[in-house]
Amino acid sequence: MKTIDKIYKIQTEIKKSNFLAFLCPINDFKVLHERLKSEHPKAVHIVWAYRELNKYSQIVENQSDDGEPKGTSGQPSLAALRGAELINVGVFIVRYFGGIKLGTGGLVRAYGGAVNLAINEANLIKFEIKDECVFFTPFSLMSRFEHYFSSENLNEFLREFNENGAIWQAKFNKDEFLKFYEFAHNLEISGMQFLAMPIFAKDILDK
């Protein structure tokens, strides 16, 4: 499976209708949808589709024709994402009607083709399954963990500070977590605490 790490945009014209396709990481999906509705109030349709992996490692798919005839736009857009084996990726196709009806087959080709053009423009990267680890660090260890995350180029994390330190929510793939665990568990004696382990942690740590 593959994914992307930024938004890609293409534009194509078919029988005087303009199609603007926006391929985006799933984390940007909701914000981008609102932005496109605001920026394109005169567009007749904003069709969308997405594929994402839920916390149970199940692929979740959804799509919308947004007023186009049923099955002519959202479904072929979703099929294009499937064909490219994309995950945690969404797509929007903004259509400005040019006065010429495309017909059922024409719509399917137009929407699917617009998505494929966006996919061809995108830098596709290998998708890695990541899971969340929640842990606590006292203020005395904060700089060590900040340095670790910086040196390992780990940027998928949130922190919530309290009077004693911070609770971290970080996402790791298996290799990242194994290396992090080797670093962090030695600091448990100094106040670091694991609060929630990734699903795959048991398989790794039992070896």
Side-chain angles (χ1 to χ4, degrees):
M1 294 188 289
K2 298 176 183 177
T3 192
I4 58 174
D5 59 3
K6 68 176 185 178
I7 298 172
Y8 294 89
K9 173 189 174 183
I10 64 94
Q11 181 173 350
T12 184
E13 182 178 318
I14 301 172
K15 293 184 178 179
K16 297 186 178 181
S17 280
N18 275 316
F19 294 83
L20 292 83
F22 299 80
L23 201 68
C24 70
I26 199 67
N27 290 340
D28 297 326
F29 189 84
K30 290 182 180 179
V31 172
L32 180 58
H33 196 189
E34 293 305 313
R35 194 186 93 198
L36 293 177
K37 287 191 289 186
S38 174
E39 292 178 352
H40 300 277
K42 295 183 179 180
V44 289
H45 306 285
I46 301 180
V47 169
W48 55 262
Y50 67 75
R51 304 181 82 224
E52 68 174 327
L53 204 68
N54 67 16
K55 64 181 180 179
Y56 304 108
S57 297
Q58 299 167 324
I59 296 176
V60 177
E61 300 178 332
N62 203 354
Q63 51 85 22
S64 169
D65 294 310
D66 193 37
E68 292 279 32
K70 185 176 181 180
T72 62
S73 50
Q75 196 60 45
S77 300
L78 179 59
L81 297 182
R82 277 197 207 116
E85 297 184 332
L86 290 175
I87 199 70
N88 283 2
V89 173
V91 67
F92 295 96
I93 308 92
V94 179
R95 182 189 181 190
Y96 285 90
F97 184 54
I100 300 174
K101 293 185 177 181
L102 301 182
T104 299
L107 287 171
V108 170
R109 289 189 293 274
Y111 279 99
V115 177
N116 280 320
L117 285 175
I119 292 171
N120 290 340
E121 285 293 312
N123 178 32
L124 304 184
I125 55 181
K126 183 180 177 181
F127 175 75
E128 294 183 305
I129 295 177
K130 295 193 175 187
D131 197 12
E132 189 172 81
C133 177
V134 182
F135 59 93
F136 168 79
T137 58
F139 286 115
S140 60
L141 294 177
M142 197 70 64
S143 61
R144 295 185 66 173
F145 279 81
E146 288 173 344
H147 179 264
Y148 180 87
F149 272 70
S150 176
S151 63
E152 295 294 327
N153 293 317
L154 299 170
N155 51 28
E156 293 188 56
F157 68 89
L158 297 171
R159 285 187 295 183
E160 183 176 330
F161 291 91
N162 57 35
E163 65 274 15
N164 298 314
I167 295 175
W168 301 57
Q169 293 174 286
K171 288 190 174 181
F172 302 96
N173 61 32
K174 287 186 177 181
D175 290 339
E176 289 170 344
F177 176 73
L178 180 58
K179 189 172 183 180
F180 172 72
Y181 182 82
E182 291 175 351
F183 159 78
H185 89 279
N186 291 320
L187 297 171
E188 289 183 275
I189 193 171
S190 300
M192 182 273 175
Q193 295 177 345
F194 284 101
L195 303 178
M197 294 283 205
I199 293 174
F200 49 67
K202 186 175 184 301
D203 293 337
I204 294 174
L205 301 179
D206 283 348
K207 291 181 179 179

